[in-house]
Amino acid sequence: MKKILLTGSIILYMLGEVLAQPLLLTPGDPEKSGCSKAVFDRLDNLVQQYIDSQWIAGATMIVVKNGTTVYHQALGFSDLSSHAKMKKDNIFRIASQTKAITSVGVMVLLEQGKVLLDDPISKYIPAFQKSVVLDKFNEADSSYTTIPAKRPLTIRDLLTHTSGIGYAQIGSPQYTAIAAKAGVVAGLAPSLSLADQVDKIAHLPLEFQPGERWGYGLNIDVLGHLIERVSKQPLDKFFRQYILDPLGMNDTWFYLPADRRSRLVALHGEDSTGKLYKMVNSAGTNGLELLPDYPNENGKMFAGGAGLVSTAYDYAVFMQMILNGGTYNGKRIISANSVRLMTTNQIGDLMVGENKFGLGFAIYTPKSGARLGVSPGSFDWGGAFSSSYWIDPEKKIVAQMFINQFPNSHEEIHNKFKVQVYSSLKD
């Protein structure tokens, strides 16, 4: 009897060990994973309607539940001008989805004992020692006056977008004008240097006092350079060593190797009538124009806030790592404690719309989650080229939608994607 009990205990222990192993992305039958295939078919039809109406060129989507890929689809065209069909392994400009990866990079430094979240950024980038805050702005010539910052900017301020740093090109009119005059761009300029850009950002006025409110800005680009200064290596090499290669994210790069360039989707825009067209590089002035082909260049700008390209599958692997508590395929990228810090409200009573914000992610509240059925405590972000993702710890879901269109006037498709995903759940 004792032998039977001992054997049973061993079996239960081994089963527990198996169940505790980090979940991997494995293809599976949605019906066997508690999802409705009929709803995913309906999602196909919905996205196809957007393509047929020429509102979007195409999309790739992936949904993973409990580590099983229950839906992975490519629809429409990767390039409208050539009518090239969209494929699941097409590579997309992920824009601000880069921010989550850079934020994980900062947590790697935290765990290595090289930084603390409440360290002043000036400890590592001295140009921030004398930060000032915008006081008065003259629209006629973009001149301005300033007042001193009440306290130093911290790494935590940057991770939470509460530093006061604004966004070049896409931010407030005042900050956009000041940044343009200083030659600061929103990251996608292959010929420029991240170190030089961050030095310029450091000498621009903050839009508000550090910690006073939430304001989306070039914070994560600054953190990308922090990683470079502390690790003593370029950001692309740091990512490959500590995040991308361990996760097997072989299609995620700042600048694509030659053998992957043909898989980069075209970036589409809309003309004044709403008609889609393929965007192409234009010279512009002072490097301020968008360069759609930047991923196929041999650039030196590693913009931690916007520069990466990736596939739906690769980014799902990254999200699954976060959902697993920092591990994937036997590789630990960050600790479970770091994941908890990243996904816990870090901004107190401040709000991001109806959401809170952690270290790199917006966090759903009961109010915001109730709009579409997303579980409170889920976290997400997206990219300027019409991409979105979210991670739902309660339902064990990660999901991603890539479109690659700028600007995107049909953002509702991302909300409809969420509704269909939750509608597919049988429990």
Side-chain angles (χ1 to χ4, degrees):
M1 184 66 178
K2 288 181 179 180
K3 185 179 290 187
I4 293 172
L5 290 173
L6 178 61
T7 302
S9 297
I10 292 172
I11 291 172
L12 287 173
Y13 172 80
M14 293 175 64
L15 179 60
E17 285 293 296
V18 170
L19 292 176
Q21 292 301 307
L23 295 171
L24 305 180
L25 300 194
T26 55
D29 183 344
E31 296 289 342
K32 293 180 180 178
S33 298
C35 298
S36 167
K37 184 180 181 303
V39 173
F40 288 133
D41 291 341
R42 185 172 67 199
L43 175 58
D44 285 353
N45 293 332
L46 176 65
V47 175
Q48 191 62 50
Q49 288 175 18
Y50 276 73
I51 295 166
D52 294 342
S53 299
Q54 298 184 9
W55 293 334
I56 65 172
T60 63
M61 298 156 286
I62 192 167
V63 180
V64 180
K65 186 174 186 295
N66 289 317
T68 297
T69 304
V70 294
Y71 177 76
H72 190 189
Q73 183 63 283
L75 296 169
F77 305 98
S78 64
D79 186 337
L80 272 178
S81 64
S82 67
H83 286 86
K85 293 288 188 180
M86 188 72 79
K87 297 179 180 179
K88 294 177 184 177
D89 68 347
N90 271 126
I91 295 171
F92 289 75
R93 302 156 190 81
I94 71 172
S96 287
Q97 291 191 204
T98 305
K99 289 178 168 67
I101 296 177
T102 304
S103 299
V104 166
V106 174
M107 304 310 285
V108 170
L109 295 183
L110 175 70
E111 293 184 9
Q112 291 176 346
K114 295 179 178 178
V115 302
L116 287 172
L117 296 181
D118 294 310
D119 284 344
I121 191 65
S122 60
K123 179 178 179 179
Y124 308 98
I125 308 176
F128 283 94
Q129 285 178 347
K130 296 182 180 180
S131 296
V132 295
V133 178
L134 183 65
D135 183 24
K136 295 181 175 61
F137 176 76
N138 186 340
E139 293 184 6
D141 61 3
S142 300
S143 62
Y144 55 86
T145 60
T146 63
I147 57 175
K150 293 179 181 178
R151 66 165 177 81
L153 277 65
T154 67
I155 293 173
R156 193 187 303 271
D157 291 330
L158 295 165
L159 282 167
T160 57
H161 293 277
T162 57
S163 71
I165 294 174
Y167 226 124
Q169 297 173 269
I170 60 173
S172 68
Q174 294 85 356
Y175 197 89
T176 297
I178 293 170
K181 198 171 183 179
V184 174
V185 302
L188 307 181
S191 63
L192 301 182
S193 156
L194 179 60
D196 180 63
Q197 284 286 296
V198 170
D199 182 73
K200 290 178 179 178
I201 292 168
H203 289 91
L204 298 184
L206 305 175
E207 294 197 287
F208 51 84
Q209 291 288 347
E212 182 179 83
R213 58 186 172 89
W214 189 91
Y216 200 41
L218 291 166
N219 300 280
I220 313 302
D221 290 82
V222 175
L223 290 175
H225 187 48
L226 166 75
I227 291 172
E228 293 185 325
R229 294 291 291 265
V230 174
S231 69
K232 296 180 171 55
Q233 58 183 321
L235 188 60
D236 64 330
K237 294 188 183 303
F238 180 91
F239 279 177
R240 293 244 73 86
Q241 180 178 351
Y242 291 103
I243 303 173
L244 304 179
D245 284 350
L247 291 176
M249 293 174 66
N250 300 319
D251 287 327
T252 303
W253 300 82
F254 281 104
Y255 301 101
L256 287 166
D259 63 351
R260 288 169 172 79
R261 292 178 179 178
S262 64
R263 288 196 276 139
L264 179 69
V265 302
L267 182 60
H268 297 97
E270 293 184 27
D271 64 19
S272 58
T273 68
K275 183 178 180 181
L276 293 179
Y277 67 94
K278 178 181 177 179
M279 301 178 74
V280 296
N281 283 355
S282 58
T285 58
N286 298 320
L288 295 180
E289 293 298 318
L290 181 66
L291 302 174
D293 295 336
Y294 76 88
N296 284 342
E297 298 189 23
N298 295 314
K300 63 179 182 179
M301 163 69 86
F302 305 118
L308 288 174
V309 297
S310 190
T311 62
Y313 181 85
D314 258 24
Y315 207 83
V317 167
F318 173 76
M319 291 190 288
Q320 188 67 47
M321 177 273 293
I322 297 291
L323 185 61
N324 290 350
T327 62
Y328 183 83
N329 197 23
K331 304 288 179 63
R332 180 163 289 283
I333 307 302
I334 54 175
S335 68
N337 183 61
S338 287
V339 172
R340 280 192 293 271
L341 285 171
M342 295 185 75
T343 58
T344 298
N345 173 29
Q346 296 281 342
I347 62 172
D349 294 332
L350 300 178
M351 298 295 292
V352 183
E354 294 180 339
N355 289 330
K356 292 296 184 178
F357 208 84
L359 304 176
F361 302 106
I363 302 170
Y364 282 79
T365 62
K367 184 176 182 179
S368 61
R371 291 193 176 278
L372 300 173
V374 180
S375 306
S378 299
F379 41 99
D380 76 353
W381 205 244
F385 302 134
S386 192
S387 65
S388 64
Y389 71 87
W390 79 98
I391 302 169
D392 185 333
E394 179 182 323
K395 300 293 187 181
K396 299 295 186 291
I397 290 172
V398 303
Q400 164 70 58
M401 183 180 212
F402 281 133
I403 293 176
N404 256 212
Q405 187 167 313
F406 184 82
N408 174 38
S409 60
H410 300 286
E411 293 184 3
E412 75 278 355
I413 192 172
H414 295 281
N415 287 332
K416 291 180 179 180
F417 177 47
K418 287 185 175 71
V419 170
Q420 295 305 313
V421 170
Y422 285 99
S423 297
S424 76
L425 303 181
K426 296 180 178 180
D427 54 11

